[in-house]
Amino acid sequence: MTTAPGAAEATAEQAERWEPVIGLEVHVELSTRTKMFCGCATDFGGAPNTRTCPVCLGQPGSLPVANAGAVEYGIRLGLALGCRIAPDSRFHRKNYFYPDMPKNYQISQYDVPLCVGGGLEVVTGAGRRHVGITRVHMEEDTGKSSHVGSGGRIHGADHSLVDYNRAGIPLLEVVSEPDLRSAEEARAYLTELRAIVRTLGISDAKLEEGSMRCDANVSLRPVGHTVFGTRVEIKNMNSLRSLGRAILYEVVRQRGLLDAGEPVVQETRHWDEDAGRTSPLRRKEEITDYRYFPDPDLVPVMPAPEWVERLRADLPEMPGVTRSRLTEGLGLPAEQAHTLVHAGLAGLLQDAAAAGSGPAEAANWLTNEVLTWCAEHGVDPADAPLTGAALAELVGLVADGTLSARLGRSVLVDALDGRGTPGRIVAARGLRQISDSDRLAAAVDEAIAANPEAAARVREGNPKAVGPLVGAVMRATGGQANPRVVNELLRSRLAAPG
Amino acid sequence: MTAALTRATAVELLAAMGAGEVAAVEVVRAHLERIAATEERLHAFLRVLDEPALAHAADVDRRRAAGEPLGALAGVPLALKDILCTAGVPTTCGSRILEGYRPPYDATVVARLRAADAVVVGKTNLDEFAMGSSTENSAFGPTRNPWDTSRVPGGSSGGSAAAVAAFDAPLGIGTDTGGSIRQPAALCGVVGLKPTYGLVSRYGLVAFASSLDQVGPMARTVTDAALLLGAVAGPDPMDSTSLQEPAPDLLGDLDRGVDGLRVGLVAEEIEDGMAPGVRAGLARAVEALERLGAKVADVRLPHAGYGIAAYYLIAPSEASSNLSRYDGVRYGLRVDGATTEEMTARTRDAGFGDEVKRRVMIGTHALSAGYYDAYYAQAQRVRTLIMRDFAAAYESCDVLLGPTSPGTAFPLGAKIDDPLAMYLNDVYTVPSNLAGAPALSLPAGLDDGGLPVGVQLMAPALGEPTLLRVARALEAELAFDPTPRGARSSEEVRA
Ligand SMILES: [Zn+2]
């Protein structure tokens, strides 16, 4: 009944007749200390409705006061994306009834957003593309409902509970132009935007946890045409993977309709990750008229031009610049630089290099061992519990022969597990590699005595037979013996008598 | 002794308490007794706070005896409109939908009154969510006018106006969105001031129309009103729209007189719709000002006539959004339903009265796609034109003078079924709300039926010191006796 997205992928991307036109709306939850319009803490956790006050509960008579820190974060993102910062932007009310929303309106921005007209570069296998940013605006988040007695669905629930701890958390909405042409580009765009947001330190930007959320507008048009087709909005994609799958699914679905001469209906569709398909939201869940009007409780946002210029001057290096510094400056391959920047590991790499590590060695440890450890432990690589100094120390211990590569991996895992710095771990575990022939001689002789058959075969000129002997020495030394030295000792002792 | 205490002004009570002639507890008890005697006929209060008021008064007395610092209104009884949040004390806004609601916090005005040691004796009746001009729209029954209990006290701050007029308290707090302090003040023969928008914090004032709402004082004398305004005015970090600068000095120039002051008489407003008694009251005020040395000249506000139309688009539009939070989910009334939508619809149907529903529907329509420009945006343009009219008038005048209300107190039920006639009560008061400028209503005698007539003084933004100075001079010259009298007055209660 539905086309499997995997099978669809090739045909969708190679479709000749129809060109996908994709725009993304991305919500970024800001990591300010307090909420958008009140002094409540933004920390996750806490018993339901404990991070609330009269303002974020919409108590009668309470009034919002805009969080200057959230405005600052918004301006910084706008500047990083090359937007113009509005000298006089407004808050509007978006009116609709929903129990998650304490006032039954959301304070948002409408015709005069904080930032307008920027863009960013995305690079995919198909090449480089400039994606326009229409606007970045501020708004507040809603609370969360849970429905009891119906398996979590509102329909048929015995009762519903609402937690307003998240109500009023500051959000930035970043709206792109419909400049994206493939699922791959959409993923690259979101990846790049996430890297920028993280570089600015304004959000932890985790798709899986909802601190970054993405809706996609997808339409098709005949190749070569400039007029847009009918657009479908897709919601509920909470990973890069599901963004890509949902867009591919939708492109194939719309192409099927158009090829069959049927119209695409303008609607909002819900992505079901498990079923691998989109389906229309109930009509009732779609609101056509939000009755926007300027919020009379708030004054215009008028950032002083000097302040904006100071924020511009203080912007950190953007990921694109970082990537070229890693490639051109430190000599890393482009793909590895890309991986490090998007994983949020560029800072760690540069710290390690600054602490004396060779960039290539540090980069290899990061892209191999650290990423693997993070994936196994479900830790965002940007939060990897490792300092540049520790990484440099590890690189040094391997380079000077104190640790074998294998021991190095073990020490790094211990360091990531929080057992201390590599130096301390080596000391605590007594892990120093033994390269001193005198200290290894006894173990080598014991190995030869215990494995006469293998020793005989080596003497007979079969070098491969040395393996079990080396293994025995390594076991006897707890893995600390320098394999090169052990090999040399064995060879000299088992050399054919001359 | 008790009668003398309730007749005294706040200034007189402060002097007597300060001199040790009377204790705050005695003052408060006298007023509580007066409330008990008048309340059955007036219904000015939705809740009388006997015990907390006496406890607060006792605390004032104790601190005075101990030589501890006291607030500027220490021990003075005050009637508080039941649209300002009081922590732990029911706040109904005159609506069933908030029946039983106890706010978890104090409005900034309430906190400042407490800091000033004013003693809140009760929370007063009002038109539901301050929507109305007669206090008949209260879900808990109407308030009656102390001058004639068959008539309305005006609205929406009718409870506070009636309480002050009936000597239940020397001070009252009202709110004014389109005339809700000034019109009931006029109809009850008391002084009422709508401050400059932003002079008094709106934090904790349950919103009707956020861009127009202001909290203000009601009293039987201009000086008392100035004293009360001074206690609650000033910047508030909890209200983004509150003015940044400190409140102006309201008392310093109060008795400086009006010699040489330029008064603009709002001419075209006199033309039609005004009752003869109101016209006569206005004439008395003009004569008095001229006797005092002021220069009175006609001025025109060409767009003021569009004020009422603009107001009845802007206020309902904002109200439709402000009142959407009453959905049965978090507080107040809940009428259950099979779905969330049904629960919300049933709750709002049962909880809101007709006038509130009417305005929510008007406002929802005015904001809807395709109508916004024709209604809400157009009304905002009228607002700009009215502001320009005022600015032009103040090039040649220091203050403006006109009527407060087209007529005097009307009988209960006379206009309740005719919303348009009721809305026209606000024709002279709404321009100041639209302009965000201060305006004050002052009694200017009685009409032929023995009912109070109010005149309105208007000034540019932050012109409160001038406004109060003119009102003070006029008050002394007109020598209005605020005692309700006549066969159906509240004074009859005590006979
Ligand atoms: Zn809060």
Side-chain angles (χ1 to χ4, degrees), chain A residues 35-41 51-58 164-165 167-168:
Chain A
K35 291 186 178 181
M36 185 69 228
F37 297 111
C38 65
C40 290
R51 305 216 197 280
T52 59
C53 72
V55 177
C56 58
L57 283 176
Y164 294 107
N165 282 354

Side-chain angles (χ1 to χ4, degrees), chain B residues 45-47 49 80-82 84 86 89-91 122-125:
Chain B
F45 290 87
L46 292 176
R47 177 170 296 261
L49 300 167
L80 182 70
K81 189 176 182 179
D82 198 25
L84 286 144
T86 40
V89 177
T91 300
K123 300 196 74 177
T124 58
N125 201 7

Side-chain angles (χ1 to χ4, degrees), chain A residues 224-241:
Chain A
H225 285 223
T226 52
V227 179
F228 295 129
T230 305
R231 165 173 72 104
V232 168
E233 186 177 8
I234 318 172
K235 290 184 177 291
N236 194 45
M237 297 157 295
N238 38 33
S239 67
L240 279 172
R241 182 179 133 81

Side-chain angles (χ1 to χ4, degrees), chain A residues 407-418:
Chain A
L407 276 180
R409 272 196 291 281
S410 164
V411 168
L412 180 57
V413 166
D414 276 6
L416 289 164
D417 286 340

